[in-house]
Amino acid sequence: MQTTISNAVFSSWEFNPWVLIPIVAFGVLYTHGWLQLHRRIPDRFGFSQLLAFHAGLITVICALCSPLDAFAGWLLTVHMIQHLLLMMVVPPLILWGAPYLPILSGLPRSFAINGVGPFLSSTFLRKVASFVSHPAFCWSAFISINVAWHLPAMYELALRSPSWHRLEHFSFLTTALLFWWPIIQPYPWVARTPRWMIIPYLFLADFQNTALSAFLVFCGRVVYPTYETVPRITGLTALDDQAAAGAMMWVASSFFFLIPVGLITIELLTTVRRSIRRDIGPIGHIGPIARSKPTKLDLLKLPLVGRLLRWPYLRRAAQLVAFLMALLVILDGFLGPQMAPMNLAGVLPWTHWRGLTVITLLVAGNVFCFACPFNFARELGRRILPARWSWPRRLRTKWIAIALLLLFFWAYEAFSIWDSPSYTAMLVTGYFVAAIMVDGLFKGASFCKYVCPIGQYQFVQSLISPIEVGVRNLDVCSTCQTHDCLRGNATQRGCELKLFQPRKASNMDCTFCLDCVHACPHENVSLLAGLPGTQLVKIQRSKRLGAGFFRRFDIAVLIFLLVFAAFINAGQMVLPVQTWEQSLQAGLGVGSIQPVLAISYLLSIVAVPALLIACCVWFSKILGQIRLGWKETISRFAPAFVPVGFSMWLIHFSYHLFSSGQTALPVIQRAALDVGITILGAPYWLLSSRMPSLDWLPGFELLLLDVGLLFTLYISWRIASRFRLNFAQTLRLNIPWAALAFALYSIGVWIIFQPMQMRGMMMMHSMH
Amino acid sequence: MRESNRYTLILLLVLISVSLITQITRADGGVVMCQRTSAPFSITLFATEMPLRPGPADLSVLLEQPDGHSPILDAQVFMELQHEAGTFIRAEATRSQARNKLLYCSLINLPAAGHWKMRLLVRRGNSSTEMLSNLTVAAPQPVFLSHWELIAVPPIIIGLFITNQYLRRKRIQFKAPLN
């Protein structure tokens, strides 16, 4: 039994991500920077620094994730060992690694220069850092925190509450780092007090430690009552445990204080002092760190992926699969059971397709348009229909698509399309007919560019995507005479959406058809991957886009429509909104909910957004003192709202996918059985009524919304910065747009924590 | 941006995101809620944090021999909770779910505030016992308190960003006359 108990004790580890993730991040940054510095100044950044730093990090893990933490609440001795590790072992090791320069060098260069650099060179912050690193402050902070947390009320608070306990550990570690700073003097910090001062510094700290530990040893009563109530698994009484903890604190801490006293005394008595620090000079003299030309990951150059993407029939194959699935949805929608959770048309398009599409937009690009089933049908239609007319010049805008989107968002709720397999089937069928008719009569991809509502949604959201079709080398394009990417050639058609690659700077209007990739005789067009959202940053930098998409009013209206629709569409799912609509219906005394829905839609998707945007324009003109037409102001700031809108779409659709993703299986089983395929077995309907545990989801959704808001504010700031105003004016110009973004964010937070209506499942509401 | 830098940034973003959304699911132990000797076991019931609130609650149990204070590690522990309104929850507490492997832990999702009656069933070989206890679950915290870390992220980053921009512009203005 004894062996089993000791096994149980020693297996009580928990690799807590709150601890591990920052430690791994710091470890990666430090190593990345150390590698660069070790090559330049190996005397300063040798292996002992690397080992010491990583040993410090590993000791943190041992203190916070090991059985020490699991049993700290039961035994004061164990708790004391944990605190000693955090205050006496970890800080000297970490500071011996001289982490300042390695971590700074480990950061991405542009972030280190533009993000961290201004803080490091700020006079005020330098003064703060100078004050905080002064030995008097370091000593006082360490001693105060040490005494404060050992007061019975504070210690008991930490034992009762995990949050306070984390704060206790955090404050111990940070003040101990400060305390050890003047003792270790990590490079490149230069001491401002004589070295001999460290001896009384350490003696005084030891004096305080002796007083505190002696009190614990000799006070004769249990100071922390919790230890009297917890089980005594070792047989040691609470008082004996306290005395042992006090003795350990006394002896171990004195050891850690007095060893440096001895070493510093020897150092002071040595006549020749090593002073490599001064020989090498300050930080600025290290010299520039090598950097290479900025580049993007070229997917077509990747070994297997590149070959697959270059395969000429890849798109047709993907479209064929999507086309067959769409046919199944139509057939089941018309012929299958008219209960959404039991029908392919009630589940696949509204739960899986939307969820997967939005996730694909975030991690890849406009994959839906690449595999578009309607485009596949259109190609078939063109074998019969002439496609000889040009799309009317007046209609070469997004207004038709905007009107269709408005119609769809209204009809979606008014007719509960998501809940009706036959309506879904009709919608998909109508889409096929429209695509075949428009592109069967008109040249180019007129349907995709000017009509398709799904396409417009994809184009706008793909501004967030990391992958875009772009040129590898602009110099090659400058010498190109044929422009095959646009015009095509004898074997391959060019871009049907009339996007000229050298001038293209975003995914707007790009269907990822890869026609330009296949047409370019110089193999200069490729699929380039960067970080999500970089396109939005790039279009604010790009001068050639001055007269492009993002000055067009119809594009701005499209963007704002999709942003507001994201919140309204999600809002329609939550119980309070539905209850409010029903009470409004009762209040108005109308028999049908349709007028209420129509009015609320008109207000929420047209009138209120228009009013809010008008207010933003008005205030930004007054506050920022800019001379710009209202249409142009709206057009300039519209792209900034893509991230917050996208995050709401992502939250909404991924919620359905995560909560109801499992519902595809029983529906597919049912559809297979209907046509006599028995291999999949009987439908497992339990999956359609049981929701997986999603306790983590609100936090995840909130994080997505946070990122969306911050990115929106960042892009808005960049847009405002292009007006070349001073800091205060830029800030004022941004205020109305930032307020609008915050308003949307607040609505999003509210929606996240409301009970949600389940879709594609055999239950109606779910609490988040 | 250099390739290696980009990957470092991606790694950092992923790590930060995961750390922000990951909840500590196994923080067993904590406050002693009740302690009884019910032959042939001595039973101690813990809750991670008091007061309990609706949502996931970490309840754990330590079983000991009543005489020798030696932990028992081969029993079966079941928890049954009944709300005053009738909601009933049954869960098994196991050592595999516990971080402190001397404990039997169960992460129970408490759906509502109010008074709950708890029945703890312990079985070991042929012997078994039960312990009855009352739990009071306080009203849920407002969203802003329960998710304050995530809600605090935007204002902090905005504050840092505005300071950064202010300092950058100040530095540029300072350098301008020299150029």
Side-chain angles (χ1 to χ4, degrees), chain A residues 1 4-5 8-9 11-14 16-18 21-22 24-25 28-29 32 36 64-67 69-71 74 106-110 113-119 121-122 125 159-163 166 229-233 289-292 294-297 529-531 695-696 698-700 702-703 706 709-710 713-714 717 721 725-727 730-731 742 745 749 753, chain B residues 1-32 35 44 46-50 56 62 64-65 68-74 95 98-103 107 109 124 143-144 146-155 157-171 173:
Chain A
M1 179 59 75
T4 317
I5 290 171
V9 169
S11 60
S12 296
W13 283 79
E14 187 197 39
N16 180 345
W18 283 92
I21 288 169
V24 172
V28 169
L29 279 181
H32 189 210
Q36 296 170 39
L64 299 179
C65 301
S66 73
D69 195 52
F71 290 94
W74 290 5
L107 288 168
R109 189 177 164 79
S110 60
I113 292 172
N114 299 320
V116 184
F119 290 102
S121 57
S122 152
L125 292 175
L159 286 173
R160 277 200 307 273
S161 156
S163 311
R166 281 196 290 273
T229 62
V230 293
R232 309 305 311 173
I233 50 166
I289 294 167
R291 54 176 165 167
S292 56
T295 175
K296 281 192 163 192
L297 183 67
L531 286 172
D695 295 332
W696 55 275
F700 176 67
L702 201 50
L703 181 73
D706 282 354
L709 169 74
L710 290 171
L713 294 175
Y714 175 64
W717 179 268
S721 299
L725 305 168
N726 63 33
F727 179 77
T730 312
L731 200 60
F742 266 106
Y745 172 78
V749 172
F753 291 99
Chain B
M1 197 184 288
R2 281 194 298 169
E3 286 291 306
S4 56
N5 279 346
R6 184 185 301 129
Y7 297 132
T8 313
L9 188 62
I10 292 171
L11 177 70
L12 280 177
L13 287 173
V14 170
L15 290 174
I16 292 165
S17 311
V18 174
S19 70
L20 280 168
I21 60 166
T22 315
Q23 305 280 330
I24 301 168
T25 51
R26 293 187 297 166
D28 43 62
V31 185
V32 175
Q35 203 166 21
T44 311
F46 295 88
T48 311
E49 196 161 6
M50 290 296 279
L62 175 74
E64 293 171 290
Q65 307 277 10
H69 286 295
S70 115
I72 295 166
L73 305 175
D74 56 352
R95 284 179 52 229
R99 182 217 173 156
N100 180 335
K101 297 296 176 196
L102 299 183
L103 295 173
L107 193 70
N109 203 353
R124 189 195 185 203
V143 169
F144 289 99
S146 58
H147 286 79
W148 68 269
E149 300 103 324
L150 287 165
I151 290 170
V153 167
I157 293 180
I158 291 164
L160 286 172
F161 180 76
I162 289 176
T163 314
N164 170 285
Q165 292 295 308
Y166 171 74
L167 293 171
R168 277 180 74 177
R169 291 189 185 215
K170 205 172 144 188
R171 194 165 59 167
Q173 281 171 3

Side-chain angles (χ1 to χ4, degrees), chain A residues 277-578:
Chain A
R277 209 170 273 123
R278 283 172 199 152
D279 298 341
I280 287 175
I283 312 164
H285 294 178
I286 289 173
I289 294 167
R291 54 176 165 167
S292 56
K293 198 180 169 186
T295 175
K296 281 192 163 192
L297 183 67
D298 191 334
L299 294 183
L300 295 189
K301 284 187 177 170
L302 293 177
L304 284 171
V305 178
R307 184 178 286 186
L308 179 70
L309 289 170
R310 282 196 301 267
W311 184 46
Y313 302 106
L314 177 67
R315 191 178 190 215
R316 286 286 170 264
Q319 285 182 327
L320 180 62
V321 173
F323 179 71
L324 293 174
M325 285 178 71
L327 283 186
L328 286 176
V329 164
I330 292 173
L331 286 173
D332 205 36
F334 282 129
L335 307 173
Q338 289 304 303
M339 190 177 170
M342 296 176 74
N343 196 299
L344 288 173
V347 171
L348 292 185
W350 306 116
T351 302
H352 300 84
W353 170 75
R354 291 195 307 181
L356 291 172
T357 302
V358 77
I359 290 171
T360 317
L361 281 164
L362 180 68
V363 299
N366 189 354
V367 176
F368 174 75
C369 286
F370 173 80
C372 178
F374 310 116
N375 188 283
F376 183 81
R378 168 200 98 150
E379 294 295 329
L380 293 177
R382 275 189 176 169
R383 291 171 191 268
I384 307 160
L385 294 166
R388 66 167 68 128
W389 292 287
S390 294
W391 186 255
R393 193 171 289 274
R394 284 193 173 185
L395 299 179
R396 289 179 194 174
T397 61
K398 301 291 185 188
W399 292 113
I400 295 175
I402 290 168
L404 289 172
L405 275 167
L406 274 171
L407 191 66
F408 168 76
F409 288 130
W410 165 75
Y412 178 76
E413 286 300 333
F415 301 108
S416 300
I417 296 176
W418 53 273
D419 199 29
S420 166
S422 61
Y423 283 174
T424 304
M426 272 189 248
L427 184 72
V428 181
T429 311
Y431 226 103
F432 273 116
V433 173
I436 293 169
M437 291 306 293
V438 172
D439 280 352
L441 297 174
F442 298 97
K443 289 184 217 167
S446 305
F447 181 76
C448 304
K449 198 171 174 87
Y450 306 115
V451 181
C452 179
I454 300 175
Q456 310 315 314
Y457 168 86
Q458 292 287 124
F459 296 152
V460 170
Q461 311 307 336
S462 64
L463 292 173
I464 295 290
S465 303
I467 298 175
E468 62 175 316
V469 180
V471 294
R472 287 174 171 144
N473 185 353
L474 273 172
D475 296 338
V476 175
C477 296
S478 64
T479 56
C480 177
Q481 300 293 315
T482 55
H483 299 167
D484 291 15
C485 62
L486 183 65
R487 295 175 187 153
N489 52 42
T491 55
Q492 174 65 51
R493 72 180 170 205
C495 182
E496 286 195 300
L497 288 105
K498 304 296 172 206
L499 299 172
F500 184 39
Q501 280 303 325
R503 291 197 192 138
K504 179 176 166 292
S506 74
N507 278 338
M508 196 68 197
D509 273 9
C510 179
T511 59
F512 273 48
C513 65
L514 304 187
D515 284 345
C516 51
V517 172
H518 299 303
C520 179
H522 313 288
E523 294 191 351
N524 194 36
V525 185
S526 186
L527 275 172
L528 305 171
L531 286 172
T534 41
Q535 291 173 71
L536 281 170
V537 179
K538 194 173 67 176
I539 58 176
Q540 297 313 321
R541 279 196 201 133
S542 174
K543 285 180 184 171
R544 66 175 186 261
L545 275 147
F549 281 119
F550 302 101
R551 288 263 176 105
R552 274 173 51 185
F553 186 60
D554 57 331
I555 298 280
V557 173
L558 176 67
I559 290 173
F560 274 119
L561 169 65
L562 288 169
V563 170
F564 280 91
F567 291 86
I568 292 157
N569 199 238
Q572 285 289 335
M573 277 175 48
V574 303
L575 196 57
V577 173
Q578 292 170 357

